[in-house]
Amino acid sequence: MATRRTAAALKEAVPDRGRHWHALALMLLAGIMMGVALAGLHTVADRGQEFASPGRYNEVWQSYNLSRQVMSLAATADAVASGAEPPERLKLRLGVMRTALLPLLRTHIFAEQESERPQIQATLTRLDLASQRWNRKLSWQETAAARELATDIAATLASEGPALHSLVVAANLAVATQTDRQRQALQRTFHWLSLALLLLAAGCALLALKIILDQRRARRLANDLHQLNLSLERRIQERTQALRDREALLQSILDSSPSDVTLIGADQRQVFYVSDSLLIQSGAEHASRFNLAALFVDPAEHARFVARLERGELIYQMEARLCPGAPYWALLNARQLRVGEQPAWLVWCFDITQRRRQQERLTRRADTDDLTGLSNRRALLRTTVKQLRRRRNMPLSVLLIDIDYFKRVNDLHGHDVGDEALRAVANQLRSAVRDPSLVGRVGGEEFAVVLPETPLAEAVAVAERLCRRVATTPLVLASGPQLALTLSVGAAERYPREPLKQLMRRADRHLYRAKHSGRDRVVQSEE
């Protein structure tokens, strides 16, 4: 209160002459500078948006490229029609032409030339429709049909020369027109910026004048401020002693805590207390450099932790990974309190690493096949459901795989060799897919492979590759001879909205057909 009264007395002692004029001048200058700055920023942003778009002049090159690719397609069509080139060359050249055509179909550059726009759009549409029709009709296996189609392509493209020339000319004119408009707009922008700079210069001159006047006034206030500083220093010393007493009490309380504790300001800048173990884990050399964020392994967990405290929540038994250098699981409890007039957070940390490890071991044993290390049936289905939740309508195929005559292997060589055969096949399956969690052992000698983002044809190719790999990689027995294994596979692709259990049943029926139609094969239908 004494400090406020002293400041009020100083204000009353200052001469009041010209105060209102200075305030109005500063307000006017601030308004002018703000308006000019906003107008300049808006204008620069608009111009920058126009010039920042990549590839503004690509349309000219794209039109030349399209004309060249159309001519190349016509030449290739003539060669295919005469038998000089195979149909594959025509398919490849048609794809290249389509690639050159697509950017021009999406461009808006021709809007710059309203008079040429209908003819250009008609040419592009005509080429698009024709190329789509040719692409649908073209077949690599039917040579005669491909030659007949090549004759049609050559005849159609022979008349497109003038239209393509007009397209190239229109692209050049459109780009030139666009560039000229942007040049004019840029010139106007420079004029505006020049005016803004003049206004800012005038404002700076007024501000410099005001600063000179304020310096004279500041010298008159220096002596009064010196006396005020002396009074403030005395009050600061009194406050400092009171804070030291409180810190000593707080230190004794926190040192007696059985867990790792930190008391940190809500702004995360002032650290009132931190346990030695937490200080070491965060990598800080001193308590003043302790950072709560450096204590968390996952920045997202730190963000959630801070967000809950900032909302005023009481955090009770939140699990998080701490100490990036030597990570361990901890149970966090935290609450808000006040240290003097400053809000702070009190955080307790309990090490629960051993308990987490035991939980993870139990989870792995519940979800993993002990013999092969693959997922069991329940874990495989759960992982597949998670895949479908992320993308409900994605193509998904399932392979059900059975080792042929596995009972004979157990009868002739014993269960140890049978187990070795199961592990060998499991390793082959695990190495053949990108995500090992989507490979599982679902029965005695039966395995399942889930292939997300994979249509049935690709799934069948994967299954056939697996069958060849297993058949050509015999299992070397400890007694000397080699054991040749083969696989029977049932493949099925999920129908839209089909339940996962129904998909597995269809794949199982296909596997049944593969086993009863000779084994060592892949069956993908029930016919």
Side-chain angles (χ1 to χ4, degrees):
M1 295 298 295
T3 303
R4 293 179 181 177
R5 287 195 296 270
T6 303
L10 287 174
K11 288 183 179 179
E12 293 175 358
V14 175
D16 196 35
R17 183 183 302 173
R19 177 183 298 176
H20 298 293
W21 182 87
H22 288 159
L24 292 176
L26 286 175
M27 291 175 62
L28 178 62
L29 178 59
I32 293 174
M33 293 178 68
M34 183 178 296
V36 172
L38 290 176
L41 288 175
H42 178 70
T43 305
V44 170
D46 287 345
R47 300 288 83 79
Q49 186 68 25
E50 295 177 2
F51 285 97
S53 58
R56 294 187 299 123
Y57 304 104
N58 283 348
E59 288 80 3
V60 175
W61 176 85
Q62 291 168 357
S63 63
Y64 279 110
N65 184 43
L66 176 60
S67 177
R68 182 170 62 84
Q69 296 303 331
V70 169
M71 295 300 102
S72 297
L73 177 60
T76 303
D78 288 334
V80 172
S82 62
E85 293 284 352
E88 293 84 9
R89 294 286 298 173
L90 183 60
K91 184 73 173 181
L92 178 61
R93 183 56 63 186
L94 181 59
V96 174
M97 191 277 278
R98 285 283 302 169
T99 302
L101 174 63
L102 290 178
L104 290 174
L105 288 172
R106 295 191 293 263
T107 186
H108 301 287
I109 192 66
F110 296 110
E112 304 288 344
Q113 298 289 329
E114 295 294 339
S115 61
E116 298 291 337
R117 185 177 181 184
Q119 295 87 342
I120 299 305
Q121 290 299 128
T123 300
L124 294 174
T125 303
R126 188 167 59 252
L127 289 175
D128 181 34
L129 296 176
S131 62
Q132 292 183 23
R133 176 171 52 83
W134 295 335
N135 201 12
R136 289 192 300 268
K137 290 183 177 181
L138 185 57
S139 174
W140 296 352
Q141 290 79 16
E142 300 177 4
T143 305
R147 290 182 178 177
E148 182 179 351
L149 181 61
T151 303
D152 179 41
I153 294 175
T156 301
L157 296 181
S159 60
E160 293 295 339
L164 291 172
H165 177 72
S166 299
L167 173 66
V168 173
V169 173
N172 280 275
L173 291 176
V175 170
T177 303
Q178 184 188 58
T179 303
D180 185 63
R181 290 179 180 176
Q182 293 176 347
R183 180 188 57 80
Q184 294 176 3
L186 182 61
Q187 187 177 11
R188 290 192 297 269
T189 301
F190 284 145
H191 290 164
W192 273 99
L193 291 178
S194 298
L195 178 60
L197 290 175
L198 289 176
L199 291 175
L200 288 174
C204 290
L206 291 176
L207 184 59
L209 179 60
K210 182 64 174 62
I211 290 174
I212 293 174
L213 296 176
D214 287 343
Q215 286 179 344
R216 294 179 179 177
R217 183 183 180 186
R219 284 193 293 269
R220 293 194 302 267
L221 296 174
N223 293 330
D224 295 335
L225 289 177
H226 178 68
Q227 298 299 323
L228 179 61
N229 287 335
L230 293 177
S231 175
L232 288 176
E233 287 178 0
R234 179 177 55 80
R235 292 180 176 273
I236 289 174
Q237 291 176 356
E238 294 174 355
R239 292 285 185 101
T240 301
Q241 185 60 42
L243 287 176
R244 287 175 180 172
D245 295 339
R246 292 182 180 180
E247 287 178 357
L249 176 61
L250 180 63
Q251 185 77 23
S252 62
I253 295 174
L254 295 178
D255 285 340
S256 63
S257 176
S259 61
D260 294 334
V261 182
T262 180
L263 179 62
I264 187 171
D267 58 1
Q268 301 189 54
R269 295 179 181 177
Q270 185 174 0
V271 180
F272 300 102
Y273 176 82
V274 59
S275 300
D276 292 339
S277 59
L278 290 182
L279 192 64
I280 295 173
Q281 292 169 21
S282 67
E285 299 177 355
H286 189 267
S288 61
R289 297 185 179 181
F290 174 75
N291 187 356
L292 195 60
L295 195 62
F296 286 79
V297 174
D298 186 0
E301 288 184 344
H302 170 258
R304 289 193 297 269
F305 180 77
V306 172
R308 291 180 61 183
L309 285 175
E310 290 177 344
R311 290 195 299 267
E313 295 184 18
L314 177 64
I315 298 178
Y316 179 68
Q317 294 188 349
M318 172 183 172
E319 293 187 4
R321 282 172 60 83
L322 303 184
C323 188
Y328 70 93
W329 282 98
L331 200 63
L332 301 181
N333 295 285
R335 58 168 299 173
Q336 286 190 354
L337 49 81
R338 302 190 71 85
V339 179
E341 298 180 356
Q342 182 177 352
W345 299 335
L346 183 58
V347 183
W348 295 271
C349 304
F350 299 90
D351 189 347
I352 59 169
T353 303
Q354 293 299 326
R355 190 181 76 180
R356 286 287 301 218
R357 288 176 180 173
Q358 184 177 5
Q359 291 177 348
E360 291 174 359
R361 284 196 298 269
L362 293 175
T363 302
R364 281 197 300 271
R365 292 188 63 181
D367 293 344
T368 304
D369 177 60
D370 292 334
L371 178 62
T372 62
L374 299 177
S375 300
N376 57 27
R377 185 182 189 91
R378 182 181 61 182
L380 180 64
L381 292 177
R382 184 169 62 248
T383 304
T384 306
V385 169
K386 290 181 180 179
Q387 293 280 342
L388 291 174
R389 285 176 180 172
R390 286 197 290 267
R391 288 193 56 191
R392 294 181 179 273
N393 299 322
M394 70 172 177
L396 183 138
S397 298
V398 171
L399 304 179
L400 282 185
I401 302 168
D402 189 86
I403 302 177
D404 296 332
Y405 304 109
F406 185 73
K407 185 177 183 300
R408 185 184 304 172
V409 174
N410 282 333
D411 294 341
L412 294 178
H413 303 281
H415 288 282
D416 290 341
V417 174
D419 292 345
E420 188 176 353
L422 288 173
R423 285 191 290 268
V425 172
N427 291 333
Q428 293 280 17
L429 297 178
R430 187 186 292 110
S431 63
V433 297
R434 291 190 297 269
D435 188 354
S437 66
L438 295 176
V439 181
R441 183 186 177 198
V442 295
E445 69 274 17
E446 188 172 324
F447 300 87
V449 177
V450 178
L451 300 172
E453 303 288 351
T454 306
L456 182 59
E458 296 182 12
V460 170
V462 172
E464 292 176 348
R465 188 165 61 250
L466 284 171
C467 289
R468 289 194 300 270
R469 180 183 298 180
V470 172
T472 57
T473 309
L475 178 64
V476 179
L477 302 180
S479 58
Q482 295 181 347
L483 177 63
L485 301 175
T486 60
L487 303 178
S488 295
V489 182
E493 182 180 4
R494 179 174 178 263
Y495 298 140
R497 301 181 182 276
E498 181 182 19
L500 184 58
K501 292 184 178 179
Q502 181 65 30
L503 172 63
M504 299 296 287
R505 283 196 291 268
R506 286 198 299 111
D508 188 62
R509 291 197 297 269
H510 298 170
L511 174 60
Y512 180 83
R513 288 192 63 249
K515 293 166 61 177
H516 287 78
S517 58
R519 292 183 171 83
D520 190 15
R521 63 193 62 206
V522 179
V523 173
Q524 57 180 311
S525 66
E526 301 179 15
E527 299 178 358

